[in-house]
Amino acid sequence: MKEDLMAQKITLQKLIGMALSEDIGSGDITTSGVLTGRERGFAKVLAKSETVVAGIDVFRETFFYLDSGIGFTAYAEDGSRVERGEAIAELHGNLMSILMAERAALNFFQRMCGIATETRQFAEAIKEYKAKIIHTRKTVPGLRVLDTYAVRVGGGYCHRFGLFDGALIKENHIEAAGSIAVAVANVRRRIPITVKIEVEVENLRQVVDALAAGADLIMLDNMSIKEMREAVTLVAGRVPLEASGNVNLANVKEVAATGVDYISSGALTHSVVAADISLRLECRD
């Protein structure tokens, strides 16, 4: 997974550059007022609650973008769980650089760790079932590469990254085309044979229609537990089923028990609670 993220080096550098430019602007008037720019020292990064680490490289690269001379030691790797009070990393170098990059670095890191921590809870809740937790496109614009990476670090799986790498026929597509059959047929004629078509359905009649139209996957949108069980029986393994809509930690196990293959939750990325992580200066050289 780390290799996948670092392969996005150009994208990552652009994101970091934009974040630092947004925050620093024409200059950090507080830090440049307090310090001369020659001070050096150490800082520790501490978990203030139990957290699944995700984005340690993004965190490090944010400091390096501003000052390549900063020393960075990671005590935890992506996917590891750290306890409250545990040190995640240590920095050493120019204090002005560390303080100027601190907020942007933590914004990336806390969000990614929050997503990974929440996803790990979902994944562990359904580990006795075959269903897999998958992400959605409900991400912060521009941060999808980081958001979806964090889901995978937490134990989730890829859905589609964007509109370009998977066909998902939703209710508005069906309405615009006139029927599920027409929508599927139109897409099938225009996409490569290697691309799968998923159809979003809202009731059992539409499940039958999607099967008849040749859907490769079917998304059960906002169905009750009873309807999901009936859909699983009706489909009988002919195509994978995805449960979506109003999934949370309180009901995800019950959803998995219906026998669906995938469970998607937009809340993993659109309603994430940032992990509680702090950076504290330990001493000056």
Side-chain angles (χ1 to χ4, degrees), residues 43-212:
K44 279 191 176 180
V45 182
L46 302 171
K48 299 180 74 176
S49 61
E50 185 178 298
T51 301
V52 175
V53 175
I56 191 73
D57 291 331
V58 179
F59 185 64
R60 181 192 66 232
E61 289 297 318
T62 306
F63 291 99
F64 286 1
Y65 187 99
L66 200 61
D67 185 347
S68 61
I70 290 177
F72 188 94
T73 302
Y75 297 134
E77 60 183 16
D78 283 356
S80 62
R81 193 191 304 269
V82 294
E83 303 298 324
R84 179 180 180 182
E86 188 174 344
I88 301 174
E90 182 177 280
L91 295 94
H92 172 244
N94 185 281
L95 291 183
M96 184 174 285
S97 297
I98 291 173
L99 292 177
M100 289 173 68
E102 174 188 1
R103 186 69 267 155
L106 282 172
N107 284 349
F108 284 131
F109 196 40
Q110 289 178 292
R111 177 176 176 82
M112 294 180 73
C113 289
I115 291 171
T117 301
E118 182 81 355
T119 304
R120 181 69 58 83
Q121 291 179 295
F122 271 76
E124 289 181 349
I126 65 168
K127 61 185 178 182
E128 64 187 279
Y129 300 101
K130 68 175 182 177
K132 292 179 171 61
I133 297 296
I134 57 177
H135 63 68
T136 72
R137 289 167 42 243
K138 296 176 182 178
T139 56
V140 170
L143 296 186
R144 186 168 297 169
V145 65
L146 305 185
D147 285 0
T148 57
Y149 171 80
V151 168
R152 288 183 287 132
V153 168
Y157 292 81
C158 294
H159 190 254
R160 57 174 181 167
F161 186 81
L163 296 173
F164 56 87
D165 62 346
L168 174 50
I169 298 172
K170 299 174 73 67
E171 59 180 335
N172 285 336
H173 297 112
I174 296 168
E175 181 66 26
S179 70
I180 289 175
V182 172
V184 172
N186 287 348
V187 173
R188 185 73 72 189
R189 283 196 301 270
R190 294 165 180 160
I191 61 172
I193 60 172
T194 55
V195 177
K196 293 182 178 180
I197 298 176
E198 183 172 13
V199 176
E200 176 188 81
V201 301
E202 299 176 331
N203 53 60
L204 295 177
R205 178 184 57 78
Q206 288 188 326
V207 172
V208 173
D209 291 345
L211 281 173

Side-chain angles (χ1 to χ4, degrees), residues 16-63:
I16 292 172
M18 289 172 60
L20 289 171
S21 177
E22 176 183 65
D23 201 28
I24 298 171
S26 60
D28 179 350
I29 60 176
T30 306
T31 303
S32 61
V34 171
L35 303 176
T36 67
R38 296 187 296 273
E39 296 87 352
R40 297 176 61 82
F42 290 86
K44 279 191 176 180
V45 182
L46 302 171
K48 299 180 74 176
S49 61
E50 185 178 298
T51 301
V52 175
V53 175
I56 191 73
D57 291 331
V58 179
F59 185 64
R60 181 192 66 232
E61 289 297 318
T62 306
F63 291 99

